[in-house]
């Protein structure tokens, strides 16, 4: 039967090709996700390896708590003489490598908005990893170099002035050299190099180093030198060989970016899932159209098992070919995804595209297994064709028992999915486990709903087709009746679009709710005035910006907020926040206990906690808890108050700014609030502040309340647009499925279409009818998808209500989605409609 199955595939090349394409697109996204992330990881491996090429041992501070800003603990410069005197050390030097901001002579930012920029110090001899491709190393306090990629992207020339900002004011430097590190792309990240004293001054790290690099004397193994240095330094210092440090950095990057691979794979498997509906529908139609063929095989002695094997071998062949082509397409998808991220300002390091064995194996398994499973039900249906079907048409109709079983299965799957969804939303367990429950629950609800949707098709077809019938009457009615003719087929075709539209609707509704909530939080919590924040919206700003702002005419006061990440001993991460004592003049606080006096009189060992933090850890006023800071300290705090924090404006724990500086090593502000004097013109004050920031602290921006809302909303919009772009592939597959179903249905309706043409229907009317069928099918999928999307958004919003989240339903956007779905239906029907209109009337009437 293998030969017969392969010949059958070859005999129906176009049908097989249409199914292969559905497999290819889904597998290509999965393969492309792996290829891109593996390429990024390989680029980081190369960068870290090159950066430590001449270094035998690296000495750094241990980093028990990672910070969102990328800041790392420092080591004392007093360690350097002791390390230099260690036996086997040929050369040792301290280095600075700290995030900062770069600007050209016009004040424009150098490099990508979201990519990190690092202020680095020069290193002596072979410890220096940067290669100077043009110009020379910085030699004095006014010279700097920059990596060639950043120079080219910003059109910089040697001799130009550039500005660097660390933790202080902007300082200008003469550009004297262009550097390069290995062959990997930094992906938008930039490195500006200055002399060590200048780097320490810029980053406020005088007497401190980010790391100490050590070169071993000839004949001394790095591991041996590592052990000798470990005996000379304190226990809170980490000593590694160069290769160990590179491996650890690579592993940390893999852990930090593992979400990216998961994020992309989710969309890849969504595409595969949507494609499985197309595969199922295609095999269902082809099995129905091959009834006579299967009946003839049964007449000639073929068993049911042989018929089943024949269809499944066809499916395996199609799945294997689709998977192989999908792996090749993965390279194109990887390039497209990287380009998409660059469009959104997210530049990631890359090198030559990497294809791991794991990518090949997973892609082959996904393509073959999904095709096999999707074709299994149609294959089983083919075994029910009796030999008598060779003599006349036979369509096995589902029995009442099967319909009852299908309904029961639909209900059970939907209930199981709802239970998992509620369990995931209810909390408990890790974030990964909760996300898995939510995802699997939503998947079961969609699958369960797809079993029941054939019952909904007639009613939905009448709703979707009503406007068409009103406009085109007979043509619209024929299109609507054709959509109702085979509810199961229409339902499966619409289900593919339903999944994509459900996700798009969920994102649209949830984003609208998030934007309205952010706007509400800004209006309710920020009592007017102006705000100073980093122009990227999340990084800290130098504390000097607040001091400068306080001197501007028309400014009454400046209140600041600082924050750092910590860990609760025995539990997970915590955001620690330190507001100015007078912050309530700028930000409204909803107190549960303690009130403003508790904040104004807060002691060094006291803290105010959010209500969610308190309830999660069973804390009340008078209780104590311990935190682990980035510096390795373990301070104990006594709870003296409790507040309600909407959307985490104040984090989880409030301490004094003295404590956050000394214990948590955070001396920069996250955001500053500027109160203007009574009678002062706010616009004038903002203009003065902006002018001062451009000169001294160009990484900061000054916003009024309306601009702050727009800034937060634009961040949501960027993320939403990225989701839309990634979900576009699932929509594309579903539209391809509509076109494929129409094309296959035209094949089986050849005689019917010929009859319509014979009694006077024009080619234009045939094309219009087919387009209307496609529009009705698309609208059925859109309506079902929107209902599911709104339900999912409403369910997921429930546990967020305690954080101040309020759901919003953008009716206008949802109507636009319906219109776009109808237009997409027209687009999907272009080729099938043209083919239907070109059928020869006489040949069609003779077709059997």
């Amino acid at each position: 039967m293998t030969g017969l199955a392969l010949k059958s595939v070859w005999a129906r090349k176009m049908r097989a090709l249409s199914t292969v394409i559905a497999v290819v697109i889904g597998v290509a996204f999965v393969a492309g996700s792996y290829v891109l992330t593996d390429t990024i990881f390989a680029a980081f491996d190369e960068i870290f390896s090159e950066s430590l090429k001449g270094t035998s041992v690296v000495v750094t501070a241990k980093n028990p708590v990672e910070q969102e800003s990328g800041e790392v603990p420092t080591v004392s410069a007093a360690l350097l003489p002791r390390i230099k005197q260690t036996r086997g050390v040929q050369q040792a030097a301290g280095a600075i490598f700290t995030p900062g901001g770069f600007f050209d002579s016009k004040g424009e930012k150098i490099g990508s908005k979201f990519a990190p920029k690092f202020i680095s110090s020069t290193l002596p001899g072979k410890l220096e990893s940067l290669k100077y491709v043009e110009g020379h190393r910085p030699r004095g306090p006014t010279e700097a170099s920059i990596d060639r990629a950043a120079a080219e992207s910003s059109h910089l020339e040697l001799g130009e002035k550039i500005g660097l900002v660390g933790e202080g004011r902007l300082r200008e430097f003469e550009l004297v050299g262009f550097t390069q590190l290995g062959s990997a792309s930094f992906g938008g990240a930039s490195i500006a190099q200055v002399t060590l004293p200048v780097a320490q001054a810029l980053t406020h790290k005088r007497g401190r180093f980010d790391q100490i690099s050590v070169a071993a004397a000839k004949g001394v193994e790095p591991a041996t030198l590592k052990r000798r240095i470990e005996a000379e330094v304190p226990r809170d210092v980490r000593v590694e060989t160069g290769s160990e440090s590179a491996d650890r950095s690579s592993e940390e990057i893999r852990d930090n970016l593992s979400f990216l691979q998961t994020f992309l794979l989710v969309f890849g498997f969504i595409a595969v899932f949507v494609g499985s509906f197309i595969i199922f529908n295609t095999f269902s139609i082809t099995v129905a159209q091959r009834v006579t063929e299967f009946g003839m095989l049964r007449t000639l002695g073929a068993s049911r098992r042989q018929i089943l094997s024949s269809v499944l071998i066809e499916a395996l062949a199609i799945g294997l070919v689709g998977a192989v082509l999908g792996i090749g397409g993965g390279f194109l998808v990887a390039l497209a995804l990287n380009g998409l991220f660059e469009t959104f300002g997210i530049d990631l390091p890359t090198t030559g595209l990497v294809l791991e064995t794991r990518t090949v194996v997973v892609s082959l398994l996904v393509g073959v297994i999904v095709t096999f499973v999707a074709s299994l039900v149609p294959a089983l249906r083919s075994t029910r064709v009796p030999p008598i079907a060779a003599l006349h048409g036979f369509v096995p109709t589902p029995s009442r028992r099967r319909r009852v079983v299908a309904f029961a299965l639909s209900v059970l799957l939907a209930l199981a999915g709802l239970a998992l969804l509620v369990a995931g939303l209810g909390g408990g367990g890790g974030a990964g486990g909760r996300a898995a429950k939510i995802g699997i629950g939503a998947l079961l609800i969609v699958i369960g709903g797809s079993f029941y949707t054939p019952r909904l098709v007639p009613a939905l077809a009448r709703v979707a087709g009503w406007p068409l019938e009103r406009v085109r009457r007979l043509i619209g009615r024929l299109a609507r009746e054709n959509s109702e003719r085979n509810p199961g087929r229409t339902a499966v075709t619409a289900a593919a679009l339903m999944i994509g539209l459900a996700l798009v609707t969920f994102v649209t509704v949830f984003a609208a709710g998030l934007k309205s909530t952010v706007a509400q939080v800004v209006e309710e919590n920020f009592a007017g005035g102006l705000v100073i924040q980093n122009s990227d919206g999340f990084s800290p700003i130098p504390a000097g910006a607040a001091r400068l702002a306080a001197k501007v005419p028309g400014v009454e006061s400046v209140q600041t907020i600082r924050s750092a990440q910590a860990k609760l001993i025995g539990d997970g991460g915590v955001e620690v926040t330190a507001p100015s004592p007078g912050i309530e003049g700028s930000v409204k606080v909803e107190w549960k206990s303690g009130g403003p006096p508790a904040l104004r009189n807060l002691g060094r060992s006291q803290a105010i906690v959010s209500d969610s933090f308190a309830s999660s850890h069973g804390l009340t006023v008078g209780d104590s808890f311990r935190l682990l800071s980035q510096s390795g300290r373990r301070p104990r705090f006594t709870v003296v108050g409790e507040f309600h924090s909407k959307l985490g404006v104040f984090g989880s724990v409030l301490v004094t700014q003295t404590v956050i500086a000394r214990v948590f090593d955070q001396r920069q502000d996250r955001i500053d609030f500027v109160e203007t004097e009574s009678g002062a013109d706010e616009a004038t004050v903002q203009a003065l502040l902006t002018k001062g920031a451009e000169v001294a602290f160009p990484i900061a921006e000054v916003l009024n309340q309306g601009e702050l809302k727009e800034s937060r909303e634009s961040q949501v919009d960027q993320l939403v647009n990225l989701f839309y772009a990634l979900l576009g592939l699932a929509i594309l597959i579903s539209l391809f499925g509509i076109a494929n179903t129409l094309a296959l249905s035209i094949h089986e309706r050849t005689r019917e279409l010929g009859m319509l043409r014979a009694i006077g229907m024009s080619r234009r009317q045939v094309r219009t009818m087919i387009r209307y069928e496609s529009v009705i099918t698309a609208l059925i999928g859109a309506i079902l998808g929107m209902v599911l999307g709104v339900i999912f958004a409403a369910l997921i919003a429930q546990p967020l209500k305690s954080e101040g989240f309020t759901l919003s339903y953008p009716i206008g956007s949802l109507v636009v989605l319906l219109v776009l779905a109808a237009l997409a239906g027209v687009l999907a029907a272009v080729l099938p409609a043209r083919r239907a209109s070109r059928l020869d009337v006489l040949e069609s009437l003779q077709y059997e």
Side-chain angles (χ1 to χ4, degrees), residues 41-95:
F41 295 152
F44 275 114
D45 290 345
E46 183 177 339
I47 289 170
F48 292 132
S49 177
E50 285 290 332
S51 67
L52 297 172
K53 197 171 184 178
T55 302
S56 303
V57 175
V58 179
V59 179
T60 57
K62 293 179 180 178
N63 187 19
V65 184
E66 291 187 5
Q67 303 296 302
E68 290 182 357
S69 62
E71 283 278 4
V72 294
T74 58
V75 296
S76 172
L79 292 178
L80 183 58
R82 293 164 58 182
I83 292 173
K84 284 184 175 180
Q85 293 171 6
T86 302
R87 184 166 55 93
V89 172
Q90 181 188 47
Q91 192 175 37

Coordinates of all heavy atoms in Angstrom, one line a residue, residues 41-95:
F41 N 22.4 33.2 21.0 CA 23.2 32.6 22.1 C 24.7 32.4 21.6 O 25.6 32.6 22.3 CB 22.6 31.2 22.5 CG 21.3 31.4 23.2 CD1 20.4 30.3 23.1 CD2 20.9 32.5 23.8 CE1 19.1 30.5 23.7 CE2 19.7 32.7 24.5 CZ 18.8 31.6 24.4
A42 N 24.8 31.9 20.3 CA 26.2 31.7 19.8 C 26.9 33.0 19.7 O 28.1 33.1 19.9 CB 26.0 31.0 18.4
A43 N 26.2 34.1 19.3 CA 26.8 35.4 19.2 C 27.3 35.9 20.6 O 28.4 36.4 20.7 CB 25.8 36.4 18.7
F44 N 26.5 35.6 21.7 CA 26.9 36.0 23.0 C 28.1 35.1 23.4 O 29.1 35.6 24.1 CB 25.8 35.8 24.0 CG 24.9 37.0 24.1 CD1 23.6 37.0 23.6 CD2 25.4 38.3 24.6 CE1 22.7 38.1 23.7 CE2 24.5 39.4 24.7 CZ 23.2 39.3 24.2
D45 N 28.1 33.9 23.1 CA 29.2 33.0 23.4 C 30.5 33.6 22.8 O 31.6 33.6 23.5 CB 29.0 31.6 22.9 CG 27.9 30.8 23.6 OD1 27.5 31.3 24.7 OD2 27.4 29.8 23.1
E46 N 30.4 34.0 21.5 CA 31.6 34.5 20.9 C 32.0 35.9 21.5 O 33.2 36.1 21.7 CB 31.3 34.8 19.4 CG 32.5 35.3 18.6 CD 32.1 35.4 17.1 OE1 31.2 34.7 16.6 OE2 32.9 36.2 16.4
I47 N 31.1 36.7 21.8 CA 31.4 38.0 22.4 C 32.1 37.8 23.8 O 33.2 38.4 24.0 CB 30.1 38.8 22.6 CG1 29.6 39.3 21.3 CG2 30.4 40.0 23.6 CD1 28.2 39.9 21.3
F48 N 31.6 36.9 24.6 CA 32.2 36.7 25.9 C 33.6 36.0 25.8 O 34.5 36.4 26.5 CB 31.3 35.9 26.8 CG 30.0 36.6 27.2 CD1 28.8 36.0 27.1 CD2 30.1 37.9 27.7 CE1 27.6 36.6 27.5 CE2 28.9 38.5 28.1 CZ 27.7 37.9 28.0
S49 N 33.7 35.1 24.9 CA 34.9 34.4 24.7 C 36.0 35.4 24.2 O 37.1 35.4 24.7 CB 34.7 33.3 23.7 OG 36.0 32.6 23.4
E50 N 35.6 36.3 23.2 CA 36.6 37.2 22.7 C 37.0 38.3 23.7 O 38.1 38.7 23.8 CB 36.0 37.9 21.5 CG 35.9 37.1 20.2 CD 37.3 36.9 19.6 OE1 38.2 37.7 19.8 OE2 37.5 35.8 19.0
S51 N 36.0 38.7 24.6 CA 36.3 39.7 25.5 C 37.3 39.2 26.6 O 37.9 40.1 27.3 CB 35.0 40.2 26.2 OG 34.5 39.1 27.0
L52 N 37.4 37.9 26.8 CA 38.4 37.4 27.8 C 39.5 36.5 27.2 O 40.1 35.7 27.8 CB 37.6 36.5 28.8 CG 36.5 37.3 29.6 CD1 35.7 36.3 30.4 CD2 37.2 38.3 30.6
K53 N 39.7 36.8 25.9 CA 40.7 36.0 25.1 C 42.1 36.1 25.8 O 42.8 35.1 25.8 CB 40.8 36.5 23.7 CG 41.4 35.6 22.7 CD 41.2 36.1 21.3 CE 41.8 35.1 20.3 NZ 41.6 35.5 18.9
G54 N 42.5 37.2 26.2 CA 43.9 37.4 26.8 C 43.9 37.3 28.3 O 44.9 37.6 28.9
T55 N 42.8 36.9 28.9 CA 42.6 37.0 30.4 C 42.7 35.5 30.9 O 41.9 34.7 30.5 CB 41.3 37.7 30.8 OG1 41.3 39.0 30.3 CG2 41.2 37.7 32.3
S56 N 43.5 35.3 31.9 CA 43.6 34.0 32.5 C 42.6 33.8 33.7 O 42.0 32.8 33.8 CB 45.0 33.7 33.0 OG 46.0 33.9 32.0
V57 N 42.5 34.9 34.5 CA 41.7 34.8 35.7 C 40.9 36.1 35.8 O 41.4 37.2 35.5 CB 42.5 34.6 37.0 CG1 41.6 34.7 38.2 CG2 43.2 33.3 37.0
V58 N 39.6 36.0 36.2 CA 38.8 37.2 36.4 C 38.3 37.3 37.8 O 37.8 36.3 38.4 CB 37.5 37.2 35.4 CG1 36.6 38.4 35.6 CG2 38.0 37.1 34.0
V59 N 38.4 38.5 38.4 CA 38.0 38.7 39.8 C 36.8 39.7 39.8 O 37.0 40.8 39.3 CB 39.1 39.2 40.7 CG1 38.7 39.4 42.1 CG2 40.3 38.2 40.7
T60 N 35.7 39.2 40.3 CA 34.5 40.1 40.4 C 33.8 39.9 41.7 O 34.2 39.0 42.5 CB 33.5 39.8 39.2 OG1 33.1 38.4 39.3 CG2 34.1 40.0 37.9
A61 N 32.9 40.8 42.0 CA 32.0 40.6 43.2 C 30.9 39.6 42.9 O 30.4 39.5 41.8 CB 31.5 41.9 43.6
K62 N 30.5 38.8 43.9 CA 29.4 37.9 43.7 C 28.1 38.8 43.6 O 28.0 39.8 44.2 CB 29.3 37.0 44.9 CG 30.5 36.0 45.0 CD 30.3 35.1 46.2 CE 31.5 34.1 46.2 NZ 31.5 33.2 47.4
N63 N 27.2 38.3 42.7 CA 26.0 39.0 42.4 C 24.8 38.2 42.8 O 24.2 37.5 41.9 CB 26.0 39.4 40.9 CG 24.9 40.3 40.6 OD1 24.3 41.0 41.4 ND2 24.5 40.4 39.3
P64 N 24.4 38.2 44.0 CA 23.3 37.3 44.5 C 21.9 37.8 43.9 O 21.0 37.0 43.9 CB 23.3 37.4 46.0 CG 23.9 38.7 46.3 CD 24.9 39.0 45.2
V65 N 21.8 39.1 43.5 CA 20.5 39.6 43.1 C 20.7 40.4 41.8 O 21.4 41.4 41.9 CB 19.8 40.4 44.1 CG1 18.4 40.8 43.6 CG2 19.6 39.7 45.4
E66 N 20.2 39.9 40.7 CA 20.4 40.7 39.5 C 19.4 41.9 39.4 O 18.3 41.8 39.9 CB 20.1 39.8 38.2 CG 21.1 38.7 38.0 CD 20.9 38.0 36.7 OE1 20.0 38.4 36.0 OE2 21.6 37.0 36.5
Q67 N 19.9 43.0 38.9 CA 19.2 44.2 38.8 C 18.7 44.5 37.4 O 19.3 44.1 36.4 CB 20.1 45.4 39.2 CG 20.7 45.3 40.6 CD 19.6 45.3 41.7 OE1 18.8 46.3 41.8 NE2 19.6 44.3 42.5
E68 N 17.5 45.0 37.2 CA 16.9 45.3 35.9 C 17.7 46.2 35.1 O 17.8 46.2 33.9 CB 15.5 45.9 36.1 CG 14.5 44.9 36.6 CD 13.1 45.5 36.7 OE1 12.9 46.7 36.5 OE2 12.1 44.8 37.1
S69 N 18.5 47.1 35.8 CA 19.3 48.1 35.1 C 20.6 47.5 34.5 O 21.3 48.1 33.7 CB 19.7 49.3 36.0 OG 20.4 48.8 37.1
G70 N 20.9 46.3 35.0 CA 22.2 45.6 34.5 C 23.3 46.0 35.4 O 24.5 45.5 35.1
E71 N 23.2 46.8 36.4 CA 24.3 47.1 37.3 C 24.7 45.9 38.1 O 23.9 45.0 38.5 CB 23.8 48.2 38.4 CG 23.7 49.6 37.8 CD 25.1 50.3 37.7 OE1 26.1 49.6 38.1 OE2 25.2 51.4 37.3
V72 N 26.0 45.8 38.3 CA 26.6 44.7 39.1 C 27.4 45.2 40.3 O 27.9 46.4 40.2 CB 27.5 43.8 38.2 CG1 26.7 43.1 37.1 CG2 28.6 44.6 37.6
P73 N 27.6 44.4 41.3 CA 28.4 44.9 42.5 C 29.9 45.1 42.0 O 30.3 44.5 41.1 CB 28.3 43.8 43.5 CG 27.1 43.0 43.0 CD 27.0 43.1 41.6
T74 N 30.6 45.9 42.8 CA 32.0 46.2 42.5 C 32.9 45.6 43.5 O 32.4 45.2 44.6 CB 32.2 47.7 42.5 OG1 31.8 48.3 43.7 CG2 31.4 48.4 41.3
V75 N 34.2 45.6 43.2 CA 35.2 45.1 44.2 C 36.1 46.3 44.5 O 36.2 47.3 43.7 CB 36.0 44.0 43.6 CG1 35.2 42.8 43.3 CG2 36.7 44.4 42.3
S76 N 36.7 46.3 45.6 CA 37.6 47.4 46.1 C 38.9 47.4 45.3 O 39.4 46.3 45.0 CB 37.9 47.2 47.6 OG 38.8 48.1 48.0
A77 N 39.3 48.6 44.9 CA 40.6 48.7 44.2 C 41.7 48.3 45.1 O 42.8 48.0 44.6 CB 40.7 50.2 43.8
A78 N 41.5 48.2 46.4 CA 42.6 47.8 47.3 C 43.0 46.3 47.1 O 44.1 45.9 47.5 CB 42.1 48.0 48.8
L79 N 42.2 45.6 46.4 CA 42.5 44.2 46.1 C 43.6 44.0 45.0 O 44.3 43.0 45.0 CB 41.3 43.4 45.7 CG 40.2 43.1 46.7 CD1 39.0 42.4 46.0 CD2 40.7 42.3 47.8
L80 N 43.7 45.0 44.2 CA 44.6 44.9 43.0 C 46.0 44.7 43.4 O 46.7 43.8 42.9 CB 44.4 46.2 42.1 CG 45.3 46.2 40.8 CD1 44.9 44.9 40.0 CD2 45.0 47.4 40.0
P81 N 46.6 45.5 44.4 CA 48.0 45.3 44.7 C 48.3 43.9 45.3 O 49.3 43.2 45.0 CB 48.3 46.3 45.8 CG 47.3 47.4 45.5 CD 46.1 46.7 45.0
R82 N 47.3 43.3 46.0 CA 47.5 42.0 46.6 C 47.5 41.0 45.5 O 48.2 40.0 45.5 CB 46.3 41.7 47.6 CG 46.4 42.6 48.8 CD 45.1 42.6 49.6 NE 44.7 41.2 50.1 CZ 43.6 41.0 50.7 NH1 42.8 42.0 51.0 NH2 43.3 39.7 51.1
I83 N 46.6 41.2 44.5 CA 46.5 40.2 43.4 C 47.8 40.3 42.5 O 48.3 39.3 42.1 CB 45.3 40.5 42.5 CG1 44.0 40.2 43.3 CG2 45.3 39.7 41.2 CD1 42.7 40.6 42.6
K84 N 48.3 41.5 42.3 CA 49.6 41.6 41.5 C 50.7 40.9 42.2 O 51.6 40.4 41.5 CB 49.9 43.1 41.4 CG 49.0 43.9 40.3 CD 49.5 45.3 40.2 CE 48.7 46.0 39.1 NZ 49.1 47.4 38.9
Q85 N 50.7 40.9 43.5 CA 51.8 40.2 44.2 C 51.7 38.7 44.3 O 52.6 38.1 44.8 CB 51.9 40.8 45.6 CG 52.3 42.3 45.6 CD 52.2 43.0 47.0 OE1 51.9 42.3 48.0 NE2 52.4 44.3 47.1
T86 N 50.6 38.2 43.9 CA 50.3 36.7 43.9 C 51.3 36.0 43.0 O 51.5 36.5 41.8 CB 48.9 36.4 43.6 OG1 48.0 37.1 44.4 CG2 48.6 34.9 43.7
R87 N 51.9 35.0 43.4 CA 52.8 34.2 42.6 C 52.2 33.7 41.3 O 51.1 33.1 41.4 CB 53.4 33.0 43.4 CG 54.5 32.2 42.7 CD 55.2 31.3 43.7 NE 54.3 30.5 44.5 CZ 54.0 29.2 44.1 NH1 54.5 28.7 43.0 NH2 53.1 28.5 44.8
G88 N 52.8 33.9 40.2 CA 52.3 33.4 38.9 C 51.5 34.5 38.1 O 51.1 34.2 37.0
V89 N 51.3 35.7 38.7 CA 50.6 36.8 38.0 C 51.6 37.5 37.2 O 52.6 38.1 37.7 CB 49.9 37.7 39.0 CG1 49.4 38.9 38.2 CG2 48.8 37.0 39.7
Q90 N 51.4 37.6 35.9 CA 52.3 38.4 35.0 C 51.8 39.8 34.9 O 52.6 40.8 34.9 CB 52.3 37.8 33.6 CG 53.2 38.6 32.6 CD 53.0 38.1 31.2 OE1 51.9 37.9 30.7 NE2 54.1 37.8 30.5
Q91 N 50.4 40.0 34.8 CA 49.9 41.3 34.7 C 48.4 41.3 35.3 O 47.7 40.3 35.2 CB 49.8 41.7 33.2 CG 49.5 43.2 32.9 CD 49.6 43.5 31.4 OE1 49.2 42.7 30.6 NE2 50.1 44.6 31.1
A92 N 48.0 42.4 35.9 CA 46.7 42.5 36.5 C 46.3 44.0 36.4 O 47.1 44.9 36.6 CB 46.6 42.0 37.9
A93 N 45.0 44.2 36.1 CA 44.5 45.5 36.0 C 43.0 45.6 36.3 O 42.2 44.6 36.0 CB 44.7 46.1 34.6
G94 N 42.6 46.7 37.0 CA 41.1 46.8 37.2 C 40.4 47.4 36.0 O 41.1 48.1 35.2
A95 N 39.1 47.2 35.9 CA 38.4 47.6 34.8 C 37.0 48.1 35.2 O 36.4 47.6 36.2 CB 38.3 46.5 33.7

